[in-house]
Structures are given as C-alpha cells and as structure tokens.
Amino acid sequence: MTAAANTLRIGLPSGSLQEPTFVLFAKAGFNISGASRSYKPTVDDPEIVIRLLRAQEISRYVEHGFLDCGLTGKDWIANNASDVAVLAEMTFSKVSNKPTRWVIAVPEDSPIKSVKDLQGKVIATEAVDLTRHFLAQHGVTAAVEFSWGATEVKVPDLVDAIVDVTETGSSLRANKLRILETIMESSPQFIANHDALANPWKKEKIDRLVLLLQGAYAARDKVGLKMNLPEARLTDLLKALPALRNPTIAHLATPDWVAVETIIDESVVREIIPQLKALGAEGIIEYPLNKVVY
C-alpha cells in the first residue's frame, strides 16, 4: 500500500462494526462513501485514505506500518499481541453501547463446571491465541481449534466447549449453551503505528482525528436543551434538576428573564421537559448534538 507523505492511511472494520463506525465518523465530520461497492471507500478529506478490513487483521497491519492507524477491537489487539499505541477507547457496537464479551460456553447439560474441567478437552474459537493464553493462566491444557464460523453449533458433537463473543448472550441461550467463564471484555479502540506517531504531520493529523472522534462519541445519546426562564425561578430549577447544575446562563433583553442552555442525556429528556415547564420555563428547544469536546 503506497501513499503520499501527507496522507493518513486508516483501517476501519468491515462487518458488524462498519455501520456504527461510519456513523461515528460522519458525526466527527468525515463522510465516507462507496463502501457498499469497494473495500477502498472514499472520504471527503483528501489527506485520508481508508481501507475496510476484517477487525481481526487491523492491528497487525497497523503494527507493521501498512496502516498508520485504525479502529479495531481490544480483543483482536490482544489476540494478535500487537505492539501498537492505543489512543482512545469507544464502547459501541451494532447492538448496544456496552462492551462485548469473550466467553467460554458449554452445553447446558455438560458436566464441565469450571475452567479446570476443560483439561484435555477440545475447544473451538476464532480467538485461538486469546483462549490459549487464558487457559495457560489457569494451568489448563486443552486442544484449541480455529473456528471459521457458526461456532455455537459445534458443541457437543464436534467439540466440548467454545469460546465466542457475545453482547447479550441471547444467541448462546438460543443454542442451549451456558456461559462458564468470561475471558475478557472488549470495546473498539483507536490505535496507531509507533513510527506514524513519530512523524510530526501524521501525529498532528491523528491527534485531530481522535479529538473529533472522541467528541462525536461523547455526544452519543445526549441532546442540547435551551429555554427561557424567569430569573426568580432559576434557583428552584437548579435545586429541582441536579443534572442542570452547570448550565450556561445569560440575561435576556426582557428584564428579569434568563436564557438557560445545557447538555443532558436524551433518555431523561421526556421526564425533564414537563418539570421545566412546571417551573416556568418557556420556549424550550431540544436539539441533537454531533460533538461534545471536553
């Protein structure tokens, strides 16, 4: 992969993380297009080149310098034992804003009750090295086989246990499996190549990108609120609504009235707006946010 000196080469995950990653980049101000037709999508920044790759591979390509930076799971960085700089962690996925978990699972009626019971057993997983390291920490020796997919259906006929990734555990339960142990939790991490960070231009470009991505991530599930309020009711509002304890307050041209503006979790807005109205607020405006930079 070749590129001009003032070009940042970024690896982004294809598959289930692709859509939420593109949404995050769009909120950060980078619009990516053409991904449905190519693994080399375009972005509205001439200094950035994007490559879509399996999340499992990105940390290796960043480590070896084929990519300057990228977004991939903490799990695959660990599985690959990649020597990369972790610049930010952002917990998001296709399903939720919770970390995913790598778990050991066995059939519901399996006699295996603990990690020690896996001694001499056969385990299928995509995260082979991650699994072997975990077993070694517990003094267990087992045959760990690479699984190309559909790992849940391999027990009990082909293997004794599996190590698979889950967000809610619903797929495991549907396949009549029970979780024996959690190996690790994982979230997407923005990583960079050490040599890229030693390049002043690339470091500045990466730092700016990370700042904007973190701002977009911080703004998820939050909204802005504006309202006008009689100044005499301001103290009551602040006492009744602790979430608004640090709003921006400005005096209006109308005597004895103030404008109040704040950021709040979207999930609680439906409860707060009626309270605001009851406290005398008028002209209440709720608006979406793209970025919150702290």
Side-chain angles (χ1 to χ4, degrees), residues 152-202:
E152 299 100 325
V153 304
K154 297 180 180 179
V155 282
D157 297 328
L158 301 177
V159 298
D160 301 296
I162 64 170
V163 172
D164 208 1
V165 67
T166 182
E167 292 184 37
T168 64
S170 58
S171 178
L172 296 175
R173 290 190 295 271
N175 284 279
K176 299 188 182 304
L177 300 175
R178 59 179 165 84
I179 294 175
L180 187 70
E181 187 87 29
T182 296
I183 288 182
M184 74 173 298
E185 290 189 344
S186 176
S187 297
Q189 295 187 331
F190 196 90
I191 59 175
N193 173 272
H194 292 295
D195 289 338
L197 292 178
N199 178 301
W201 183 89
K202 289 185 178 182

Side-chain angles (χ1 to χ4, degrees), residues 24-283:
L24 181 69
F25 268 71
K27 286 184 173 294
F30 301 92
N31 295 300
I32 303 170
S33 59
S36 61
R37 302 179 300 276
S38 171
Y39 285 98
K40 301 177 181 179
T42 59
V43 61
D44 57 353
D45 185 331
E47 296 177 339
I48 290 178
V49 171
I50 289 179
R51 294 291 180 263
L52 290 179
L53 299 162
R54 284 166 54 87
Q56 294 90 324
E57 303 174 297
I58 290 175
S59 70
R60 292 192 294 108
Y61 287 128
V62 171
E63 178 183 11
H64 297 302
F66 297 107
L67 297 168
D68 297 311
C69 54
L71 190 70
T72 188
K74 178 181 180 181
D75 46 359
W76 297 118
I77 301 170
N79 189 68
N80 296 332
S82 296
D83 181 15
V84 293
V86 177
L87 304 182
E89 184 168 23
M90 293 166 278
T91 304
F92 67 90
S93 69
K94 183 179 180 179
V95 177
S96 68
N97 287 329
K98 297 180 179 179
T100 56
R101 293 184 297 152
W102 281 93
V103 300
I104 303 173
V106 296
E108 290 177 346
D109 58 357
S110 172
I112 298 173
K113 303 299 181 183
S114 70
V115 176
K116 294 293 185 181
D117 294 335
L118 293 171
Q119 179 68 31
K121 303 298 185 183
V122 180
I123 304 170
T125 183
E126 191 175 358
V128 172
D129 290 338
L130 192 67
T131 302
R132 286 174 176 163
H133 180 68
F134 179 82
L135 293 175
Q137 288 180 320
H138 289 77
V140 173
T141 301
V144 182
E145 299 181 349
F146 180 80
S147 174
W148 292 96
T151 309
E152 299 100 325
V153 304
K154 297 180 180 179
V155 282
D157 297 328
L158 301 177
V159 298
D160 301 296
I162 64 170
V163 172
D164 208 1
V165 67
T166 182
E167 292 184 37
T168 64
S170 58
S171 178
L172 296 175
R173 290 190 295 271
N175 284 279
K176 299 188 182 304
L177 300 175
R178 59 179 165 84
I179 294 175
L180 187 70
E181 187 87 29
T182 296
I183 288 182
M184 74 173 298
E185 290 189 344
S186 176
S187 297
Q189 295 187 331
F190 196 90
I191 59 175
N193 173 272
H194 292 295
D195 289 338
L197 292 178
N199 178 301
W201 183 89
K202 289 185 178 182
K203 184 180 187 306
E204 182 179 4
K205 185 74 174 180
I206 291 171
D207 287 346
R208 289 182 177 183
L209 176 61
V210 170
L211 175 69
L212 294 171
L213 288 173
Q214 287 182 311
Y217 176 73
R220 77 199 192 289
D221 301 327
K222 295 187 184 297
V223 295
L225 281 181
K226 290 182 178 181
M227 70 209 78
N228 297 331
L229 185 79
E231 189 170 11
R233 303 301 303 275
L234 182 59
T235 299
D236 294 335
L237 182 143
L238 296 179
K239 288 180 179 179
L241 303 173
L244 299 183
R245 62 183 179 274
N246 292 314
T248 298
I249 302 170
H251 285 85
L252 299 176
T254 304
D256 302 321
W257 277 73
V258 293
V260 179
E261 185 170 4
T262 192
I263 295 172
I264 200 163
D265 290 339
E266 186 176 16
S267 60
V268 300
V269 167
R270 64 184 181 185
E271 305 294 336
I272 286 178
I273 286 182
Q275 295 182 53
L276 296 174
K277 186 66 177 176
L279 287 167
E282 297 181 1

